[in-house]
Amino acid sequence: MGNTSSMLTQYDIEEVQEHCNETFSQQEIVSLYKRFCQLDRSGGGFISSDEFLSVPEFAVNPLSQRLLRMLDGLNFKEFVAFLSTFSSCATLQQKIEFIFKVYDLDFNGKVTFNHMLDVLRDLTGSYISEQQRQQVLTHVLDEAGYAKESSLVLADFIKILGSSGLKMEVEVPVD
């Protein structure tokens, strides 16, 4: 499975299904493998940042640079596991864990006000002022029972987003 020019075996498909908690059907995994091979232009079995940025929808995403630090160098199993977060079969917990990783800029298991402000800055660009961003974020934290000085851990994100009705879904086209 390391060489993208080879075809997936039934064993490979089942292994990937197990790795992503049965989120995708076997047919979806085969389709994802074809897409992975298209993205892996070097044929090395991994997708680089540049290869990810060749996807127009990804390149224009305001969080693409944050996502790249999570994606650079993914092999096929990791690629499918990443995409499984966006499946309708993924649990709310899996989706929240993914969001937490986007905010946890230094990978220390904590998200600070400044981390959240950085993400908000990426999302809003020049549409709102820095002062407005800080006010909005301070208000959201206050409503959730946290202070500006708080460092949030994954359990805090689960508490805050757990009842939000969060939707993060992408359909996998099946050939």
Side-chain angles (χ1 to χ4, degrees), residues 7-14:
M7 290 305 297
L8 288 176
T9 66
Q10 184 64 33
Y11 175 80
D12 293 332
I13 294 169
E14 290 170 5

Side-chain angles (χ1 to χ4, degrees), residues 25-170:
S25 70
Q26 291 189 7
Q27 190 175 12
E28 288 172 320
I29 289 173
V30 170
S31 292
L32 288 171
Y33 186 71
K34 289 176 186 175
R35 183 62 176 143
F36 179 85
C37 291
Q38 290 170 348
L39 290 171
D40 180 20
R41 289 191 220 113
S42 68
F46 297 89
I47 302 178
S48 69
S49 295
D50 289 339
E51 290 166 330
F52 270 110
L53 288 172
S54 72
V55 178
E57 298 85 357
F58 186 82
V60 299
N61 184 316
L63 297 177
S64 63
Q65 292 305 309
R66 292 180 187 289
L67 295 172
L68 280 177
R69 69 186 175 83
M70 297 166 56
L71 298 174
D72 191 28
L74 289 186
N75 65 28
F76 178 63
K77 276 173 58 174
E78 295 163 338
F79 175 74
V80 174
F82 169 79
L83 291 176
S84 70
T85 305
F86 300 97
S87 165
S88 60
C89 298
T91 66
L92 181 60
Q93 170 105 9
Q94 289 169 308
K95 293 175 187 298
I96 294 171
E97 287 172 3
F98 175 82
I99 292 169
F100 184 80
K101 289 176 187 174
V102 171
Y103 281 85
D104 184 11
L105 300 178
D106 49 13
F107 303 108
N108 69 352
K110 296 178 183 174
V111 175
T112 67
F113 181 83
N114 286 334
H115 290 158
M116 291 181 272
L117 195 57
D118 285 344
V119 172
L120 191 56
R121 201 175 288 121
D122 288 347
L123 290 171
T124 60
S126 61
Y127 293 107
I128 65 173
S129 71
E130 187 68 15
Q131 181 181 4
Q132 289 171 312
R133 276 191 281 272
Q134 288 186 21
Q135 288 173 340
V136 166
L137 187 52
T138 301
H139 178 73
V140 168
L141 286 172
D142 188 49
E143 287 288 316
Y146 297 93
K148 184 177 175 178
E149 299 75 28
S150 300
S151 287
L152 305 181
V153 296
L154 178 59
D156 298 320
F157 265 61
I158 292 169
K159 177 184 165 190
I160 294 167
L161 297 174
S163 59
S164 67
L166 181 65
K167 294 283 185 201
M168 288 178 13
E169 296 177 9
V170 174

